[in-house]
Structure formats: structure tokens, C-alpha cells
Amino acid sequence: MGQNINKKTTIQLSFPEFNNAPNIHYQLSPETLEKAALGRGEGYLTDQGALAIDTGEFTGRSPKDRFIVSDNITKNTIWWSDINIPIDTEVFDSLYTKVVTYLNSQEIFVRDAMVCAEKEHRLTLRVITEDASQNLFAYNLFLRPDGPFVPEWTIISAPGFKANPAVDGTRQHNFSIINFTRKIILIGGTGYTGEIKKAVFSVLNFLLPQQNILTMHCAANKGANGDTAIFFGLSGTGKTTLSADPERRLIGDDEHGWGPNSVFNFEGGCYAKIAGLTAEKEPQIYEAIKPGALLENVCFHGSSNRVDFDNLSKTENIRLSYPLDYISNSVSPAVGDVPKNIFFLTADAFGVLPPISKLTRAQAMYYFLSGYTAKVAGTECGINEPEATFSACFGRAFLPLHPIKYAEMLGEKLDKYPINVWLINTGWTGGAYGTGTRIKLNYTRAMIKAALDGQLDNVPYQKLPIFDLMIPAWCAGVPTELLNPVNTWADPYQYAEKANHLAMLFRQNCSQYKNFSDGMLCSVGPAAKAA
């Protein structure tokens, strides 16, 4: 499978800019890409047969270096902000020419791919990378063509090219730029593969809402009777872990669209965060580490090639990419029905939120727009106590349109379908981080199972003060005293003090939206009392 390309082939004629590249590799198989990466010194094999690479200077995305070309398509439609930074067409064109010139002196790898499991919404991609390992990532993450192919968008990634900010109009030497008019994603100066994935996600987040498709940063799975569930959550909240349920079939772990009659995966693979991974806790993900999979920035036990998943000395953001069919019970094609249950996952390090609560429609829009979780002490320099993090729609960094647009689309879906929406706290109970304890994974799984099975439909509920969240009185497999967080704290006054503090943070965050949607969304949030 795959071939080297000479100058007269279709692929070459489609991109005459690369006529001078010394060697172009087209549509290579995972095995050949792995061999090429090893031969080029890009990585090494682990004891499980997967390729492990280091992404270099950048082990995560660089949001401040992500730009969108401001032109006739985007000037009055993009939500220009600190995450959607405008760049002039002339600046892009100049930088594009420089990157092409650079790649013409390199060996390059070309891959045709697609996104969107629903064929009527499919987008075709041509991915051109400097590194064989990045092309393997594209093979793992995107859908593979199965017929005639005409690329609509082009992704060019050149980790070895470094911009000159003083000349090229960038902030520093790395960049990721989206050009909606030329339909090009241009990435340089960074080897972090997630830049490729999230740039494509940003493109879909702009295009698909125009087709009345709600784009979502979420995982999705379906039960034996075909019921679909979706899981929203920021990094560290358990989105990938909880959606990989051996009793349910995985639709996808990260990016989906919600159309008139279905939920569908955008991707053809998974990109899992694997810090602390064990075969016992996450068997499906652990078993996906095999030939063809790609590990990023992992450390090893001693001088062996056995991965040490607890060694985060390079980065906490160690990652694994693999095709969706590496999960034995995945859905193909990756499409499900309209969801019956939606879960908002948050790791509340303040120990305030209940482990499970049921939301009204208005609350669902509020917590979706809030996108709350909390960082804990020690995870980043300068964080000495829990720190609230709000990421609109659980994916603010990837939203080209104003967050209110996506929240209102969710509200329209909830008006149309009978859907249960749940807020799940996978964080702390009995006190904040450092005093309380993390809610056990098996308890969280039991609560989600009870919600999915309808066991919580007819149980009594009680209202949590300040937040007005409805808490089930009991849940199979979970200690009753755990369900109401007030009861888990030794001092109820300290709980109320911490709850009021978190409620104030919610209200401060929501104040940025008070002039949108008639200001009604903020009125259903927690009723914090002024200090």
C-alpha cells in the first residue's frame, strides 16, 4: 500500500508547489510509516509494538499561536478573541510560500483522509507532513477513503520550519493558521500532533453549525438497545475513560456532530491522555497499545522499552493515538441515534458539587456554557490550591463562533427531544483537594450505569442549597451518604463557605454572557451570597 510519487502523477499535479521535493511518499501503510519513522530517527518501538515519539519543544497545543485569516468569509462571522486571533491574508500568503519552499528541500509524506462519519456532512482532507510519525497520526485519527477522492481542504505541517516573528507576523516561531478562503491549515515550528487534530476540529466548528449541526467536544457510546449517550468534559474529568465502557459500544472519544437524526463521530480514531494508565483501570485503552498505535512523550522504566505511565517528567500530557477499530466494541460506521442521556463531567477539586445531579433544560444550557472543572495543586507551576477553570461548551479553545451560538443550539435540541442531562462530579468529596478524597471510579461508573438504565427515573430527589441541583436519594452501588456533598464534610459551615466561593466564581464567569440570550442563562446559575 502507498507509493513514492514521481512528477507526473495526479497527486503531484494537484500540488505543483512541491515539484522540487526530493521524495514524496503517498498514502503509506501504518507499517511502512512506522518503519520510515524509525529509519529517520523520529522514535522507537515499545515492548508492546507501538511507536513512541517525542514531540520536541512543544508537548501540547499553543493557543496563543493559533490564528485565523481575516477575510471576506471570516471578518464578520468569527468570534475574534484571545483564542481566535486574526492574521492578514498577505501575512498568510507570504508564510505559506516560505513553508512550501522549505518542504521542497525535505522528504515529505502525503495522506488523503476524511472527517465526519455521516457521509452527507463529510469533509475531505489532504494531509502533507514533514514527519512520517505525523502522517501515522493522521492515519490513526482521520477516516480512510474507500473510493474516488477529491481533497477539499489541505493540511500542511512542517515542524522543522521556524517563523521569524519580526518578519512573518507571528507571535513566536511556531504557528497554526486556518485559512477558510483557501481551505488550508498551515502549521509550523511544532511537532505536537494535536495541533493537526484540533485545527480540523475548529474548521468543523465553523462550517457545520451553518448546516444546523451542533458540533461537540464530547465522547459518545451506545447501549445494547441502541440508546446513545454523550459525555462532555475537559481534560482530566474522565471523558475517555467513562465512555470506554465494555458493556456499551464506543462511537468516539472526543469530537462529534449532532444532526437532525443522529450523533456522529468526526474522526476515525482516538487520542487518549494516558497518564497513570493501567490495564486494570482502563483495559480497552491499554490493549490499544500495539503495532500501529503512536505514543507521545512517554518515559520508560530504566533503560528498557517498557512504558512508565506514572513518569510524567517530560509532560503530564502524555498521549496515545490509535484507530477506532482498536477498540473491539466500537461502532462502525461511527453513528448513533439522538442521545437519550447527556453527561457533563467535572473534576470539582473544591469538593462542593454532588457526584451526580439531574439538570433542568435551563441548567443544562448554563453548565454547558460554563464548561467547569478545576485544576488541583501541583499540576501546574504556581497552583497551590484548587483553581476553577471555565471553558465554554467544554471546548472554548476550538470555537470559532460565539459560545452562545452553540449553547442555543443545544437548547433547541433539548426542546425537541426527551433527554436526561446529568452533572457528574468525578473530583473530590468530603472536603477540597488536600483534605477530601477523590470519588472512586467504580462509584462514578455505578452512577452513570444507573442513569443509563433508567434506575434514577423514579427515585426521590433532594435539592442542594446554593446550586439548586437535584440529587437522587439513592443509587445502587453507591453509599447513600456520598450522594449529598454536605453530608460528607465534617463541618457543614466550611462546606457552605466553600460552596459560596465556587458559586461566586460561576457567577463571575457567566457575567461575560449577560448581554446575550436576553441575559436569562445567568439567572439559573448558583445563587451565591455576597461576602
Side-chain angles (χ1 to χ4, degrees), residues 348 351 355 425 427-432 435-439 482 484-485 488-489:
D348 176 29
N425 176 20
W428 276 257
T429 185
T435 302
T437 57
R438 187 102 192 228
I439 297 169
L482 184 72
N484 190 326
T488 67
W489 283 58

Side-chain angles (χ1 to χ4, degrees), residues 123-136:
L123 199 68
T124 55
L125 314 170
R126 177 154 289 160
V127 187
I128 301 171
T129 64
E130 179 182 1
D131 291 345
S133 53
Q134 285 196 320
N135 217 259
L136 177 61

Side-chain angles (χ1 to χ4, degrees), residues 273-433:
K273 194 171 183 179
I274 53 173
L277 179 70
T278 66
E280 293 72 30
K281 287 193 300 184
E282 300 173 271
Q284 291 184 314
I285 298 173
Y286 190 86
E287 290 169 7
I289 305 175
K290 57 186 178 181
L294 181 66
L295 292 151
E296 294 180 7
N297 302 310
V298 296
C299 296
F300 296 88
H301 289 281
S303 59
S304 74
N305 64 343
R306 185 165 60 91
V307 177
D308 183 351
F309 297 101
D310 296 317
N311 186 337
L312 307 179
S313 57
K314 292 180 183 177
T315 176
E316 292 192 0
N317 188 36
I318 60 174
R319 293 276 183 171
L320 169 70
S321 67
Y322 51 91
L324 189 61
D325 60 15
Y326 276 27
I327 301 295
S328 59
N329 63 340
S330 61
V331 178
S332 181
V335 180
D337 294 334
V338 170
K340 290 189 175 180
N341 288 279
I342 297 174
F343 299 94
F344 296 152
L345 308 177
T346 176
D348 176 29
F350 294 96
V352 166
L353 297 178
I356 184 169
S357 50
K358 193 171 186 179
L359 304 180
T360 65
R361 175 211 183 261
Q363 286 177 324
M365 291 179 66
Y366 178 88
Y367 282 96
F368 180 62
L369 191 62
S370 298
Y372 165 71
T373 193
K375 297 176 182 178
V376 297
T379 58
E380 292 183 14
C381 294
I383 298 179
N384 300 312
E385 59 183 34
E387 182 177 290
T389 298
F390 297 95
S391 181
C393 310
F394 296 95
R396 180 179 183 273
F398 322 119
L399 304 182
L401 306 177
H402 196 284
I404 288 289
K405 169 66 176 178
Y406 305 94
E408 289 179 340
M409 289 185 75
L410 175 65
E412 292 168 3
K413 302 286 188 183
L414 295 178
D415 285 339
K416 188 174 181 180
Y417 304 103
I419 301 170
N420 294 318
V421 185
W422 310 88
L423 181 64
I424 303 290
N425 176 20
T426 63
W428 276 257
T429 185
Y433 174 85

Side-chain angles (χ1 to χ4, degrees), residues 80 93 98 111 135 155 169 198 263 362 412-413 423 521:
W80 300 113
D93 291 344
K98 291 182 179 182
R111 163 141 263 104
N135 217 259
I155 305 165
K198 291 307 184 186
V263 167
E412 292 168 3
K413 302 286 188 183
L423 181 64
L521 276 176

